[in-house]
Amino acid sequence: MLRANVAAVNLVAVMFTNAILQTAFAAVKSRNLAQRRKLRMLAQWRKIRMKPKHFAVAVAALGLAIVLAWTPLPAGAEVQDGDVITPANASKVENLLSPGSFALVKQGMTMKIMPAEHLESPPPYRAATEKYSPQVALAPDGNLENYVAGLPFPLVDVNDPQAASKIMWNFEYRPMSTDDIDARNVEAVSHTDGSSGEIEHFTFGHLGLYNYLGRTEVPPTPIDAGVLNMDIASRAGVYPVLEPAELRGAGLVRERSLLPGVEDNAWEYSSDSRRLRRLPASCLSDSFGLASISANSAGRNSGSGTGGGATTYASTLDPNSWFGFSGKPTEYSYRLLGERSILGSVDGSSPAMSCADDGGRSVCEKWQPRHVYVIEATAKSGSPLSAGTLVPKRIFYIDSEGWFITASDLYERDGRLWKTIVNFYAYSDRATPGTRVAIWPFKRIFQTAMVDEDLTNGFSTVVHTPGLDDRDGLYINMGAIDGNFFTPARMVQAGR
């Protein structure tokens, strides 16, 4: 009888969803692609089988999403498909960007406006979402419970008091790279305002991560035994440094515990001193996070825009900003500031090319309308990060379809906007047009570049993943690395 009731509920849910979608599509035939994209996004989830207790939530979320499909762009928006945005007409997009992104446009980041595009998650990820999401819950303290794989919360009700935390867990387990990612020969190029050349050029042998939980494509799936044996959620890192020569062999790795309240373990290695050093979690929000290496390089400490100490080496990058945000979710409190239609670069070129009009401080790409959640993240009081972190507050713009961060603004303790991060993505079945190895069986979203700029002094670092001259340098969910890759022992071995 119970099985029959569940089937009946599923049937009603599908009929209800189909009816709404058919009515909605009929009503928006004359509307733009961005609005129709939101309706197609709803259609992806028509096949999810819902238990009775999830039906009411699904109906509420569907109703909200239908309303959003009719949400127009802000009144001040004057952009059209094909427009090219430069500093001369930057005012057209002021209401369609984060404050930090808008600052980059005013200094020379050119944007070409394109129609909105629908982004599909990989089929294995969708299957895992359908199978496991009904059992996922959020504890009162915001910790994730019963998660295995896929998107934890495919239907988010923005009126839910825990909506912000659910959105952040969706970001944490986003479909972009569920198993592993190995970006090779990654380039990070630093520029400053008024400089005609590079201030610094880094090349890293590997940048990436290995997930022990939420695996969908490469065995072992859906979890690696490390989850059970060591309570490890993931390992990540960047090593070895290939250039500049004086840093060659250096690196940084981190390990994330599945247990709430346990801070990330992090280690840095200096090939110059042959020293492996344990880092406190607070250092992961500092620029570059290579304190001992910088200390061994006399006269090279440029300092951060906030006077944040001696860990910078002509770079604005901090490990907690990798991929837009890499901090441990449970170490922050979240608040949903709202939903917006903004512009994001989600189907650009790979490799992405730096802008010429601002001296290489940003990336010039195609942009399209995206529906995002705006989330405020604040380091929790009493957490390992709250006392020493240089970035107590971040504002994230999270794509509601791909669950990646399009932009992030970082604020100082006095509330002043300090740094901005803009992420650039591509949507393809291969990392670069000429690739021979890194080809996926379906199109997927992947990051091509990240701009990290200190807005107080114009110092910027652009990260290219993969490197500009690397044809086969991006391996996502291909088993290119294993669980032992981003460990201190492997990093030291590679750096010697």
Side-chain angles (χ1 to χ4, degrees), residues 123-459:
Y125 184 85
R126 297 201 303 269
T129 300
E130 179 176 351
K131 182 176 182 179
Y132 297 114
S133 64
Q135 71 190 39
V136 181
L138 203 61
D141 62 359
N143 193 43
L144 194 64
E145 296 181 338
N146 305 323
Y147 176 76
V148 177
L151 193 68
F153 303 103
L155 297 171
V156 177
D157 181 359
V158 294
N159 296 310
D160 182 348
Q162 292 184 307
S165 293
K166 290 180 177 180
I167 291 167
M168 288 306 301
W169 282 115
N170 281 352
F171 165 74
E172 178 74 1
Y173 292 108
R174 57 198 178 277
M176 191 164 62
S177 54
T178 57
D179 302 7
D180 54 70
I181 177 171
D182 182 20
R184 301 179 182 177
N185 299 318
V186 172
E187 296 180 56
V189 186
S190 297
H191 295 267
T192 191
D193 186 18
S195 173
S196 58
E198 300 174 354
I199 301 300
E200 197 71 81
H201 193 127
F202 300 91
T203 303
F204 306 100
H206 302 271
L207 183 153
L209 61 84
Y210 181 91
N211 285 322
Y212 284 78
L213 189 66
R215 302 177 60 81
T216 60
E217 297 178 44
V218 180
T221 60
I223 64 173
D224 186 293
V227 172
L228 305 175
N229 300 336
M230 299 175 286
D231 293 320
I232 298 176
S234 64
R235 283 175 170 152
V238 51
Y239 76 83
V241 174
L242 302 179
E243 58 176 326
E246 59 268 34
L247 285 183
R248 188 173 181 88
L252 174 73
V253 295
R254 68 193 296 174
E255 179 182 283
R256 176 157 300 165
S257 173
L258 192 64
L259 303 177
V262 178
E263 70 179 47
D264 285 357
N265 294 317
W267 299 265
E268 64 173 8
Y269 176 69
S270 168
S271 58
D272 182 33
S273 64
R274 292 182 176 270
R275 180 187 178 193
L276 180 69
R277 189 174 82 98
R278 181 79 172 266
L279 293 175
S282 59
C283 282
L284 297 175
S285 64
D286 201 356
S287 298
F288 205 53
L290 295 172
S292 61
I293 295 171
S294 296
N296 290 332
S297 304
R300 299 303 298 273
N301 295 322
S302 62
S304 67
T306 61
T311 61
T312 56
Y313 189 85
S315 170
T316 58
L317 299 175
D318 66 277
N320 275 349
S321 293
W322 297 350
F323 309 111
F325 179 63
S326 295
K328 188 169 184 178
T330 53
E331 295 295 338
Y332 291 79
S333 298
Y334 304 104
R335 185 162 65 102
L336 177 60
L337 301 182
E339 301 173 272
R340 287 183 58 185
S341 293
I342 70 168
L343 295 170
S345 183
V346 303
D347 189 20
S349 305
S350 182
M353 302 304 294
S354 299
C355 292
D357 292 341
D358 63 3
R361 285 188 288 157
S362 65
V363 171
C364 288
E365 265 293 356
K366 297 178 291 184
W367 293 66
Q368 60 178 259
R370 306 298 301 175
H371 176 256
V372 302
Y373 297 108
V374 185
I375 302 291
E376 178 187 81
T378 306
K380 288 181 178 178
S381 175
S383 75
L385 293 175
S386 61
T389 181
L390 293 179
V391 191
K393 185 176 76 173
R394 300 170 185 249
I395 305 295
F396 304 129
Y397 296 79
I398 300 178
D399 191 275
S400 64
E401 187 176 46
W403 302 103
F404 47 80
I405 290 177
T406 62
S408 172
D409 286 343
L410 286 61
Y411 290 82
E412 297 183 272
R413 294 188 181 277
D414 62 2
R416 181 177 61 158
L417 178 59
W418 169 27
K419 292 206 306 177
T420 190
I421 294 170
V422 181
N423 290 324
F424 297 82
Y425 302 93
Y427 182 54
S428 176
D429 66 347
R430 62 200 66 206
T432 61
T435 187
R436 298 177 180 176
V437 179
I439 300 175
W440 304 293
F442 34 71
K443 294 176 72 174
R444 71 182 330 129
I445 191 80
F446 57 94
Q447 190 167 340
T448 62
M450 181 179 82
V451 174
D452 184 328
E453 178 165 321
D454 184 335
L455 296 175
T456 67
N457 58 20
F459 193 93

Side-chain angles (χ1 to χ4, degrees), residues 101-120:
S101 298
F102 182 60
L104 298 187
V105 175
K106 289 192 296 182
Q107 75 179 24
M109 183 176 73
T110 302
M111 309 168 63
K112 183 175 182 180
I113 309 302
M114 305 296 291
E117 182 177 1
H118 173 55
L119 306 176
E120 288 275 3

